[in-house]
Amino acid sequence: MSIIYHPEQYKIPDKPKESFIDPDEIWDILNAHQEPTREQVRAVIAKALDKHRLSLQETAVLVNANDPELVQEIKDAARELKERIYGRRIVLFAPLYIGNLCINDCAYCGFRSTNKKQERLTLGKNDIIDQVEALEDAGHKRLILVYGEHPRYDARFIAESVKIVYGVKKGNGEIRRVNINAAPLDVEDFKTVKEAGIGTYQIFQETYHKETYEKVHLGGVKKHFDWRLTGLDRAQEAGIDDVGIGALLGLYDWRFEMLGLIRHVNHFEAVYNVGPHTISFPRIKSASGFEVDEKYDVSDEDFTKLVAILRLAVPYTGLILTAREPEHIRDEVLQYGVSQIDGGTNIELKGYTSDKEEQDLNQEQFEINDNRSLNEVMEDLVGKGYIPSFCTACYRLNRTGEHFMEFSVPGFIKRFCQPNAMLTLAEYLEDYAPVTTKEKGYQLIDDNLKTYEDPKFKDKLVDRLERIKQGERDLYF
Ligand code: SAM
Ligand code: SF4
C-alpha cells in the first residue's frame, strides 16, 4: 500500500486511463439540439415516462427546452415518474467532517491549502466517538465521512475512522452505513478502504470541462483532471461497485455539466455494466475567502429544471441534495425525484457537539442554507406525506444495485423499501422523537399500512412494527 508524503509522490501515472470526456462532442450535441420543437421535447418525455434511459442527445433536447410550458411538462413528468416508481420514501443521512487538512488548492473551497485563515483540525478517535454519539442521539443511522486530501488521510486512516464509527453504539443508537467522500485513491488503497465495510464511495468531478477544471484547481494532486476522472474506475477495479458521482454547479455552464454527468453514467454502464449508485449536483456556495462568480450561476429555475431532467435521464440512479440548498428549493426538488437528503447537518469540525448557532466560515468548508435539526426535517417530511427512511437493508443483505432493483423489479418498493422505511421510522419515533412527531409519524405509518392488500405480508409488517414498539431493533425485509 502506498503511504503518501508529498504531492509529487502520489502515484499518478504519466498517462492515467484515457479520458472518456470529449468537450467538443458535448458541445456539438448541445449545439445540434438548440431550440428543440415541442414535438421533440414531448417525444423525449414520453420515452422517459416509459422507463427508458435517455441518451446524450435526448438529454440535450430537454436541457435546451426553454419554453416555460415545456419546462413545466418536464417537471410534471419527473414528478409523475418519481411518484409512480419510487413512491414517497426519502432516505436521510448526515455528513461528518473528519479532517480539513488539505494539500490541494481548489479555488472555491475553504479547506484549500493557501487559505491561511482556515482553522485546521483532524478528529482523533475520541473526537469521532463524541461526534457519532451526538449523531446517534439525534437518531441518525447513515453517515457520510468527509476528508480533505492529505498524506495524513491515507487509506489506512480512512479505514480506521470508518471502523471507529461502526463501533460506536449509544443506547439503541448505531451507525449502519458509512459512505465516504474523499480523494481518489489507487487500486490497492481503495481495497483497504473497501475492507472496512464502506457503503458508497463518492468523488465529485467538480467540472467535466477540463480547461475550467485546470483554472480552478491550482495546486496539489487534484489539479490532474484525468486522475480524478478515472478515480472511480480504480474503485471499481478494487471491487467497490457502489460509487457516487457529482458536479459542482457554478464553475462552468450547467448544460455542459449535465451532459458530462450523463457521459460518466454511460461510461460506467458500458464498462462495468452498472451505473453509479448516486449523482450529486451541489451548487457552489461562498466559502472562507471565496465569493461565487456570477458568470456560471445556476438560477433556481434552471436548478429545479435540471433536477427534473436528471430524474428523467437516469431514472434508476439515486439523486442526492444537501443542506447547501434552502428549504423551499429542497421542498420543490423532492417532488421531482431527489431520493436522499441530509438532515440536522453541521459541517463544522466537531460541530455536532458544539452549541454555536452561527456558521463561522473559517471553521467550515462552505455556507449551508438549511439549519434545521434532524427532527425538524423529519417532522416536515412526515407532515408532507413523505416517509423518512434510515433503511440500510439492501447494502447489508448484499442486494447491490438497489436503485436499479427499485426501478425495474416490479413491486420492489412496495415489498422492501417502503416497509423498511416504516420500520426505521418507527425506531426513530420510539427512541428519539418528541411526542408530536411520534403521533404524526405513527399516523403516517397507519395510513401507509392501509395501502397493503396482501394480508400475509401486512401481518408480517404489523408484527415487526409491534416488535419495535416492544424494544426490538434493526428489523428489515
Ligand atoms: N477533499 C475531497 C475532494 O475534494 O474530493 C473530498 C471532500 S470535499 C470536502 C467535498 C465536496 O465539497 C467537493 O467535492 C466539492 O464538490 C464540494 N465543495 C467544495 N467547496 C464548495 C463550495 N464552496 N460550495 C459548495 N460545495 C463545495
Ligand atoms: Fe481539499 Fe477537497 Fe476542499 Fe479541494 S474540495 S481544497 S481537495 S477539501
Side-chain angles (χ1 to χ4, degrees):
M1 191 201 336
S2 63
I3 305 277
I4 296 158
Y5 292 106
H6 192 268
E8 271 62 52
Q9 290 177 304
Y10 275 77
K11 281 189 184 166
I12 298 179
D14 290 344
K15 242 179 157 297
K17 274 194 176 139
E18 224 165 277
S19 168
F20 46 85
I21 295 287
D22 175 353
D24 294 336
E25 178 201 35
I26 291 183
W27 273 123
D28 285 349
I29 295 173
L30 280 169
N31 291 332
H33 295 86
Q34 269 180 4
E35 299 184 27
T37 63
R38 264 159 207 270
E39 291 65 37
Q40 284 172 323
V41 175
R42 287 181 181 148
V44 174
I45 291 177
K47 185 175 171 190
L49 281 175
D50 207 19
K51 293 170 66 170
H52 289 287
R53 256 281 266 113
L54 299 184
S55 65
L56 284 170
Q57 288 76 4
E58 288 158 343
T59 308
V61 167
L62 299 189
V63 161
N64 282 321
N66 292 321
D67 175 340
E69 201 183 315
L70 290 174
V71 173
Q72 194 53 48
E73 286 179 33
I74 292 171
K75 290 181 175 178
D76 290 345
R79 191 187 286 116
E80 185 189 328
L81 194 68
K82 189 216 140 91
E83 287 277 327
R84 185 144 54 86
I85 316 270
Y86 294 102
R88 298 187 66 79
R89 178 194 49 125
I90 301 291
V91 171
L92 282 161
F93 69 95
L96 173 59
Y97 278 68
I98 300 292
N100 65 0
L101 295 174
C102 197
I103 52 155
N104 293 328
D105 197 8
C106 311
Y108 48 80
C109 177
F111 296 169
R112 67 193 178 280
S113 57
T114 51
N115 183 13
K116 301 300 173 214
K117 286 197 197 139
Q118 187 75 40
E119 294 167 29
R120 307 284 165 175
L121 198 65
T122 301
L123 303 195
K125 183 173 180 183
N126 290 336
D127 300 322
I128 296 180
I129 294 172
D130 289 347
Q131 296 305 300
V132 176
E133 284 188 346
L135 284 156
E136 288 179 0
D137 281 345
H140 279 290
K141 298 280 186 277
R142 303 170 60 110
L143 300 184
I144 181 152
L145 306 189
V146 187
Y147 308 76
E149 181 160 7
H150 193 269
R152 216 170 137 187
Y153 311 148
D154 64 6
R156 273 188 287 196
F157 177 92
I158 295 176
E160 186 53 33
S161 50
V162 170
K163 287 179 195 159
I164 295 170
V165 171
Y166 279 131
V168 180
K169 315 240 183 235
K170 185 167 180 212
N172 283 334
E174 61 178 348
I175 300 303
R176 298 175 183 157
R177 179 174 173 120
V178 176
N179 297 333
I180 301 289
N181 186 321
L185 305 171
D186 63 25
V187 177
E188 282 311 303
D189 286 347
F190 270 124
K191 284 184 186 161
T192 303
V193 175
K194 179 184 160 63
E195 278 160 20
I198 59 160
T200 309
Y201 201 106
Q202 264 187 8
I203 300 174
F204 302 160
Q205 184 57 28
E206 319 301 9
T207 171
Y208 285 91
H209 190 251
K210 189 169 182 177
E211 213 181 299
T212 304
Y213 185 96
E214 285 169 353
K215 273 190 208 147
V216 293
H217 297 106
L218 304 164
V221 189
K222 195 164 164 181
K223 69 181 181 199
H224 300 276
F225 179 87
D226 290 339
W227 175 251
R228 191 163 179 94
L229 187 65
T230 53
L232 291 171
D233 292 66
R234 295 190 296 281
Q236 294 273 1
E237 263 179 67
I240 300 177
D241 59 1
D242 187 336
V243 299
I245 63 172
L248 181 59
L249 301 174
L251 295 174
Y252 190 55
D253 192 318
W254 69 267
R255 299 171 309 142
F256 184 97
E257 306 298 10
M258 285 288 282
L259 265 65
L261 286 168
I262 303 300
R263 185 69 190 80
H264 206 160
V265 175
N266 292 351
H267 169 74
F268 277 124
E269 286 180 349
V271 183
Y272 308 106
N273 213 12
V274 55
H277 187 142
T278 56
I279 299 184
S280 302
F281 31 85
R283 274 195 289 187
I284 202 161
K285 301 291 165 201
S286 300
S288 166
F290 166 76
E291 289 298 329
V292 179
D293 179 355
E294 282 176 11
K295 185 164 175 209
Y296 292 119
D297 212 18
V298 182
S299 67
D300 288 353
E301 186 51 33
D302 284 340
F303 185 69
T304 50
K305 170 179 149 184
L306 76 82
V307 176
I309 295 174
L310 277 175
R311 178 67 306 145
L312 296 175
V314 280
Y316 57 79
T317 306
L319 299 182
I320 302 184
L321 187 84
T322 68
R324 292 174 181 87
E325 296 299 335
E327 201 178 323
H328 68 280
I329 295 289
R330 302 238 266 180
D331 278 353
E332 183 175 349
V333 294
L334 274 179
Q335 301 170 35
Y336 306 150
V338 163
S339 52
Q340 296 190 24
I341 60 170
D342 50 349
T345 293
N346 193 313
I347 61 170
E348 182 182 326
L349 278 293
K350 296 196 195 176
Y352 291 108
T353 49
S354 147
D355 46 19
K356 213 166 60 191
E357 302 222 327
E358 296 282 303
Q359 269 196 283
D360 177 350
L361 286 183
N362 289 328
Q363 293 173 344
E364 302 173 44
Q365 196 191 5
F366 49 77
E367 204 173 76
I368 59 170
N369 285 300
D370 188 344
N371 294 306
R372 290 173 297 168
S373 67
L374 176 63
N375 193 70
E376 285 169 320
V377 173
M378 296 284 287
E379 198 167 321
D380 183 46
L381 288 174
V382 166
K384 289 174 175 134
Y386 290 108
I387 315 175
S389 176
F390 297 99
C391 176
T392 52
C394 282
Y395 144 77
R396 289 156 78 215
L397 292 171
N398 264 332
R399 285 196 301 243
T400 49
E402 73 200 69
H403 285 286
F404 182 73
M405 288 192 273
E406 289 167 19
F407 176 71
S408 60
V409 178
F412 191 91
I413 296 272
K414 192 94 181 156
R415 243 191 98 62
F416 296 104
C417 310
Q418 199 156 302
N420 286 338
M422 289 195 252
L423 292 171
T424 54
L425 173 59
E427 286 184 334
Y428 175 83
L429 299 175
E430 291 300 318
D431 292 337
Y432 307 106
V435 183
T436 49
T437 318
K438 194 167 174 177
E439 280 169 7
K440 289 181 198 165
Y442 274 120
Q443 185 59 53
L444 181 77
I445 290 176
D446 285 345
D447 293 345
N448 275 281
L449 273 176
K450 289 187 192 123
T451 65
Y452 281 83
E453 279 154 15
D454 173 357
K456 258 197 193 154
F457 186 78
K458 189 171 174 174
D459 284 352
K460 268 194 205 160
L461 178 53
V462 170
D463 173 61
R464 287 183 198 194
L465 285 164
E466 197 47 47
R467 280 160 59 195
I468 286 174
K469 285 188 189 161
Q470 301 308 320
E472 273 190 69
R473 292 290 172 268
D474 206 13
L475 303 174
Y476 49 83
F477 290 93

